[in-house]
Amino acid sequence: MRKGVLELCILAIIARNEEVYASNILEQLKDAKLIVVEGTLYPLLTRLKNEGLLSYRWEESKSGPPRKYYKTTCLGERLLNELTTGWQELVDAVDKLMSENYNQKEQ
Amino acid sequence: MRKGVLELCILAIIARNEEVYASNILEQLKDAKLIVVEGTLYPLLTRLKNEGLLSYRWEESKSGPPRKYYKTTCLGERLLNELTTGWQELVDAVDKLMSENYNQKEQ
DNA sequence: TTTAGTACCTTGTATCACATAGTACTAAAT
DNA sequence: ATTTAGTACTATGTGATACAAGGTACTAAA
């Protein structure tokens, strides 16, 4: 049932950009009305990196501390595809359930 | 982010039937390709009942132990509406994120 | 040298959903 | 008559998810 929606969103955001850093991802999530807090995102990024789904490089910034620029690995792309399919299936299933107006009584 | 999808599905199933009991709900979830196990459903039903979202009555069965027939309360209907809206918003947000092909670099 | 802004990290906690095991009732099989 | 199978509900323990809250560290402006 649990489908890792947030994981999907984050992989999608990273995949569609050349490279992004965490605060950047937070902004893009916010733009899409998906509110996520730092305490959720950072551990998740670390997990995805440890699982080989993401890679990153450090880059100095002129306006603050250095940033970790993430991009998806080959494995990450593959998971993104799988999660996308799973998400679509969930949406279809719930939509089906919600649209049916069946009135089953005793069988 | 957390949207209680399963809660939504179960409320929807109970609302669209006159009355249903747990095993019945499991079947309908299965029909919709939403696989859920007993150990997930029963505690959730109890929680929803304790929160005043569901009510039930016992009914004897000729083919086994007695059944708890659930139906939604007024409060349950209201939550169903809210969860439905929330779900639709989540689907829209994710779809938007997935369909956009924007390629933002350094800003 | 303090304050504000940006960026990353950690710890603790609540909730969700599963796995597993158990109780209790009826009906059919031995 | 007692065991076995099927149905239905319940309880306990566990892992994963996401949040709250607080902390570190860098730069630039007041």
Side-chain angles (χ1 to χ4, degrees):
Chain A
M1 190 68 195
R2 174 164 299 281
K3 293 286 175 178
V5 183
L6 183 54
E7 202 173 311
L8 166 63
C9 293
I10 289 169
L11 279 173
I13 289 176
I14 299 177
R16 76 182 184 181
N17 292 270
E18 299 280 306
E19 283 187 311
V20 271
Y21 59 100
S23 303
N24 211 315
I25 296 171
L26 281 176
E27 274 172 40
Q28 294 188 35
L29 284 169
K30 200 175 168 186
D31 287 347
K33 313 275 187 221
L34 293 165
I35 305 306
V36 173
V37 295
E38 286 189 318
T40 300
L41 183 60
Y42 283 103
L44 182 49
L45 287 174
T46 303
R47 204 197 82 211
L48 295 176
K49 182 252 157 191
N50 287 338
E51 287 171 359
L53 304 164
L54 300 177
S55 65
Y56 69 79
R57 62 180 179 79
W58 282 104
E59 188 171 299
E60 301 299 317
S61 164
K62 287 159 219 146
S63 60
R67 301 164 174 175
K68 271 185 178 175
Y69 280 85
Y70 287 93
K71 59 181 176 181
T72 50
T73 62
C74 194
L75 210 63
E77 295 288 339
R78 220 178 310 156
L79 182 66
L80 175 55
N81 286 331
E82 281 167 32
L83 289 178
T84 302
T85 305
W87 168 250
Q88 232 89 53
E89 283 169 2
L90 178 64
V91 172
D92 289 348
V94 175
D95 280 1
K96 184 167 171 255
L97 198 65
M98 302 295 294
S99 65
E100 275 171 15
N101 207 1
Y102 99 15
N103 219 312
Q104 181 187 48
K105 295 203 66 174
E106 211 62 28
Q107 69 280 60
Chain B
M1 192 68 196
R2 173 166 299 281
K3 293 285 175 177
V5 184
L6 184 53
E7 203 172 310
L8 166 63
C9 293
I10 288 168
L11 279 173
I13 289 176
I14 298 177
R16 77 183 184 181
N17 292 270
E18 298 281 307
E19 284 186 312
V20 271
Y21 60 100
S23 302
N24 210 315
I25 296 172
L26 282 176
E27 274 172 41
Q28 294 188 36
L29 284 169
K30 200 174 168 189
D31 287 347
K33 313 277 187 221
L34 293 165
I35 305 306
V36 173
V37 294
E38 286 189 315
T40 300
L41 182 61
Y42 284 103
L44 182 48
L45 288 174
T46 303
R47 204 197 83 212
L48 296 176
K49 183 250 156 189
N50 288 338
E51 287 171 359
L53 304 165
L54 300 178
S55 64
Y56 70 79
R57 61 177 181 80
W58 281 104
E59 188 172 300
E60 301 299 316
S61 164
K62 286 161 220 147
S63 60
R67 299 164 175 174
K68 273 185 177 175
Y69 279 87
Y70 287 93
K71 59 181 177 181
T72 51
T73 62
C74 194
L75 211 64
E77 296 288 340
R78 221 177 310 156
L79 181 67
L80 175 55
N81 285 333
E82 281 167 33
L83 289 178
T84 303
T85 305
W87 168 250
Q88 232 89 54
E89 284 169 3
L90 177 65
V91 171
D92 290 348
V94 175
D95 279 3
K96 184 167 171 256
L97 198 65
M98 301 297 293
S99 65
E100 274 170 17
N101 207 3
Y102 96 17
N103 220 312
Q104 182 189 46
K105 295 202 65 173
E106 212 62 28
Q107 70 279 59

